[in-house]
Amino acid sequence: MSLELMGLVTALAGLFILAAPVAWAFPFMVFSTLFGAAAAISLPMLGGASILVPNLLLVFFTLRVFMATGEGYMMAALRPQSPGFWLLILTLLGIFSAIYFPRVFEGVTETMKVERVTSSRNVIALSPLRFSASNITQAVYALGGLITFAVSYAYFRHLGKPAYLVTAIIIVATADIGFAIADVVTYFTGTEYLLSFVRTANYALLTAAEKGGLKRISGTFAEASAFSEYTLVLFAIITSLWLDRVRSWATGILTALLLLSLLLSTSATALVGLAIVIPFLWIRSWISSASPFTSGRPVFLAGCLLVIPVALVSIFILFPSVGDQVNEFLDMMLLSKADSQSGKERFLWNAMAYEAFVNTFGIGAGLGSARASSFILVLLSNVGRPGFILFVVFTASILSARQPAPSENGAYIANAAMRAGKCGLIALLIGACTSGTVYDLGLLFYLIAGSIAAISLGRAPIHVPKVVHRDVRQPIDIAEPS
């Protein structure tokens, strides 16, 4: 086991969290999720697996919230019939499957999994089903997601401040854009080594690629696809906040910059995600504009319907060469994607994942046993039909969580935060279904899901001792709190 530079920085940040007010813990935790390719600790004994920065900081985040709230709220997050209960059952199923299924179905099918080729690098290869280090790491990640959900839930139930979710997302979105700019600048100036401290995970790093003459933006992630998935979530959340007129100046500027980053990332995940997320946000804005309790953005609606199409048509008419270049670029990114080497590999992953699902009679090969290029096939091949159904129930319960009534105190910011969080989860699932390779969706998914579950209930009531004046000549009787 070896401690990386980012691991030392994370440990120091964790110690600061323990000493700081509990309100600081959540923004730090959300910020840590930005470092998707930064190893805090390397574990050669587990096939060179890496403990990432957010996974290490989760230990300090959990401890700080426990110090402030105890175990009550965390246990309440997993109570029966709550969203957390379904996540708990899914996690237990995943851990059980990771331990036993690869042994029960050993050799029955072949799967795509990580194989160790050197002491420092692994590759994804087709091999007969058997127990491996991936089963352990994915089970640990699943348990970490459950803990993240429960702790995030406890944080917001204790503080009852939806604005903290807004602040945390704005901070991490700003940093994400900053690292994207740094990625492009260091690439064209030959100083990529300046960002090497955030690219230390034991992954195949594709951070120096170009497509169509543009740098494929990877930011703090291992490749452009991972950057696009993460940035798409931030774009959906920030745009939703802007539509609700929450910190309009900051969210408006960030919306434009995040959209530009996604378009320039040259990632098919970004283009497909935007093609789904933007119409979804348009519908959400239309509903908000029609509601008497929210203001919406009529200008956004008009722009999408009139200004943007007219502007695009005008550009293509006045500058025909631009249209040809755009058509060539889209053909390279989307239409010819299936014929590329990457597209063929992804198709093979999906085919083998589906074969694993069929050959294991719909039960699954075990958590961490198979990789795919779509989160749907990852679920089916790893935890089978039962796990797929549990995940759908969990996600549906979060997305259908009630919003506080408009008449409730502080309901506007709570509603805006919940709507934004739900948009972020939908965007994350769109990206995962497009190119997700493993069960682990990242801690940001569980941070947002736990926040939504808690905000929908509001802040837990605080029982204050009641002072009763019996008589001016009698002592004050302080009743015990209920």
Side-chain angles (χ1 to χ4, degrees), residues 101-122:
F101 288 7
R103 294 181 170 93
V104 172
F105 297 109
E106 185 172 1
V108 169
T109 187
E110 291 184 314
T111 61
M112 303 298 300
K113 64 169 56 177
V114 175
E115 297 286 348
R116 186 175 183 179
V117 293
T118 67
S119 59
S120 60
R121 281 292 177 265
N122 298 330

Side-chain angles (χ1 to χ4, degrees), residues 207-378:
T207 58
E210 287 188 33
K211 181 162 288 189
L214 297 176
K215 165 72 171 69
R216 302 200 70 191
I217 301 175
S218 57
T220 55
F221 295 87
E223 58 179 347
S225 177
F227 167 81
S228 298
E229 287 184 34
Y230 188 87
T231 304
L232 183 66
V233 177
L234 299 180
F235 170 76
I237 297 175
I238 293 293
T239 304
S240 179
L241 292 172
W242 177 73
L243 292 174
D244 281 329
R245 301 180 185 272
V246 176
R247 305 187 190 180
S248 293
W249 276 103
T251 55
I253 294 173
L254 288 174
T255 294
L257 293 177
L258 289 169
L259 177 60
L260 183 62
S261 298
L262 288 168
L263 293 175
L264 295 179
S265 68
T266 71
S267 170
T269 301
L271 297 179
V272 173
L274 287 173
I276 301 174
V277 169
I278 289 180
F280 174 80
L281 290 170
W282 185 90
I283 294 173
R284 201 196 76 60
S285 178
W286 176 73
I287 294 174
S288 297
S289 298
S291 172
F293 302 107
T294 55
S295 53
R297 289 280 184 179
V299 173
F300 176 75
L301 298 175
C304 289
L305 285 176
L306 300 175
V307 178
I308 295 178
V310 170
L312 291 176
V313 170
S314 299
I315 291 175
F316 291 151
I317 292 176
L318 296 176
F319 306 98
S321 60
V322 173
D324 295 336
Q325 293 174 359
V326 171
N327 181 65
E328 180 181 353
F329 180 78
L330 292 178
D331 179 73
M332 182 188 304
M333 290 301 302
L334 298 176
L335 302 179
S336 300
K337 183 74 173 179
D339 296 328
S340 66
Q341 181 65 27
S342 174
K344 292 177 181 178
E345 289 180 0
R346 299 280 177 161
F347 180 81
L348 176 62
W349 293 10
N350 289 338
M352 298 311 300
Y354 182 75
E355 183 176 326
F357 168 71
V358 173
N359 291 343
T360 56
F361 312 103
I363 298 176
L367 190 61
S369 294
R371 293 203 172 203
S373 186
S374 171
F375 186 66
I376 295 175
L377 286 170
V378 168

